[in-house]
Every structure is written in structure tokens, then in C-alpha cells.
Amino acid sequence: TFTAPQMIVTTGGKTYTSTGSTDFGHDLSRHLKLEVTEIEAADSPVLTDFPHNKIQGISLYDVALTYGKHVITHDLLFTHFGLSGPAALRLSSFVKGGETAFLDALPTHSEQDLFEHLEINREKSVKNALGELMPDRLADFFAENYDSKVKQVSQKVLSDLVTLLKALPIKITGKMALAKSFVTKGGVDLKEINPKTLESKKVPGLHFAGDGGDGHRHRRNPSVPAA
């Protein structure tokens, strides 16, 4: 038995359980009648209903992934289950499942740039023209409905293609379980914590601490550390 005037709880969340992480801190907080917000995975790979088998394993660098007001520019990996890589991990902080995100596969090229590129390469097939801008398998994916030379495609159809290149809709179906995610979103309710001392307002001498994020992630509640 130990007695102390103060105690700091930094036990972490429930994610990445292979490291030994548990939700002991949350259980302790509930035992002391503290409010604990909903727990969910963050910094997690994202599950989608995308045609993964066609482009799984492809890595893209500095693409833009958009959901609502959130625009995430970073590297992205297509997997057999959906999306991974830094862009997907950051997106996971804002989605639960049922949302639609949009991928700009060529964020350094404007729509006008893409129209001009296609015009310059009008004698080539759509696939080969796109292959100069992206990995061949991804070019094949975008060009699968355009089995002809660029010059044989109408301006309306080319406009639809450019729209897909700049805003490809991806339906989010969920994210990985807590055990396979890196950060627990949620924890002791911030309303019950003194922001200057991280002391519980209900239990004097009891403090909570955790990672506050890096500016790109959500603000994490006390008792939620990095994995």
C-alpha cells in the first residue's frame, strides 16, 4: 500500500494492444466516477469499398485526400482492405464509416494542366497519356473505360476523366479495430480536468497526462498517449 498526496495517471489507451497497452486508466477513471468519453480508433488504416484488387500495393506521394473541410496532403498506400499510409491515418481521426472522401491523385496539376497534357498527347492512348503522370497500374485503373486514343474522346468525356483524377470519390466503410490502430481517440472528459494542472476537478490530487497531438491530429483527451 502506497500513500501519496498526488498521483499522475499516464497508462494510455486501448490501441496497439500488442505493446501491452490496456484501458486500465479508463477503468480507474470510471471507478472514481469520472466521465470518460466514447473510445474509438484514430491514426488507423481506413476500410473502403474501393476496387482494391486492381491497385493494391500502389504507393502515391504527396496526394491530397479530402473529407469535408479537412484536406490532408501526404503519402497514401492502396491496400487489400482500403487505404493506409500517413494520409489515411490522419483521415481516420475524422471518420467512422459511411463517409465519402475524395482523392486528388495529381495535386500539383490543375485541371487546366491536365487538359493541356491530354491535348499534347492526343495521338496516344488515354492509358499511355496518363502513364506519364502516374504509376502504370493506376493509369490503367483510371483509363479502364477509355479504350481509345485521346483524340477520339469527346471533350465532355475528357472533362469527366479530369474530374476523377482531381476528385476520385472513395466510400469509407470503417477503420481498423483498436488493437490494430495507433492512437485511442477519447478518454477522460476534458471538462473535468483543470487545463493548467491536468488535475481532476472531482478528485483532488489526481492528475492525467497524455499526448496532445502534433497539430495535424485531433486534440486527444488526457490519459490518451501515443502508442
Side-chain angles (χ1 to χ4, degrees), residues 9-165:
V9 178
T10 54
T11 55
K14 200 174 182 179
T15 43
Y16 217 45
T17 53
S18 61
T19 64
S21 180
T22 72
D23 60 348
F24 170 77
H26 301 147
D27 288 339
L28 173 65
S29 302
R30 296 186 187 99
H31 177 73
L32 296 173
K33 309 302 182 184
L34 302 181
E35 290 295 324
V36 177
T37 63
E38 179 185 1
I39 302 300
E40 64 176 281
D43 274 24
S44 170
V46 174
L47 310 179
T48 77
D49 65 356
F50 209 59
H52 319 119
N53 59 321
K54 297 179 181 179
I55 54 178
Q56 71 179 44
I58 294 178
S59 295
L60 300 178
Y61 302 98
D62 292 325
V63 295
L65 200 56
T66 301
Y67 167 64
K69 64 180 180 180
H70 306 288
V71 181
I72 303 163
T73 302
H74 216 305
D75 304 341
L76 185 69
L77 171 66
F78 293 100
T79 71
H80 65 284
F81 56 77
L83 304 175
S84 190
L89 296 182
R90 291 181 180 178
L91 175 69
S92 70
S93 295
F94 311 112
V95 297
K96 293 179 179 291
E99 304 87 354
T100 299
F102 293 89
L103 171 65
D104 183 347
L106 298 166
T108 59
H109 295 73
S110 67
E111 290 191 4
Q112 184 61 37
D113 291 337
L114 294 177
F115 276 117
E116 291 176 0
H117 174 80
L118 292 170
E119 178 60 29
I120 292 171
N121 293 277
R122 63 193 315 271
E123 295 294 332
K124 297 181 179 179
S125 68
V126 173
K127 175 185 174 181
N128 288 341
L130 294 180
E132 296 185 4
L133 301 174
M134 60 181 62
D136 287 343
R137 285 174 56 212
L138 190 62
D140 192 31
F141 168 77
F142 277 109
E144 64 180 347
N145 296 320
Y146 306 89
D147 187 20
S148 61
K149 291 185 177 181
V150 173
K151 68 179 182 181
Q152 297 172 312
V153 181
S154 70
Q155 286 297 306
K156 171 63 171 65
V157 174
L158 283 180
S159 178
D160 292 341
L161 173 59
V162 169
T163 297
L164 282 180
L165 292 170

Side-chain angles (χ1 to χ4, degrees), residues 159-180:
S159 178
D160 292 341
L161 173 59
V162 169
T163 297
L164 282 180
L165 292 170
K166 297 297 291 180
L168 178 69
I170 299 178
K171 182 67 175 294
I172 308 298
T173 58
K175 47 191 173 182
M176 283 291 191
L178 283 163
K180 294 185 178 181

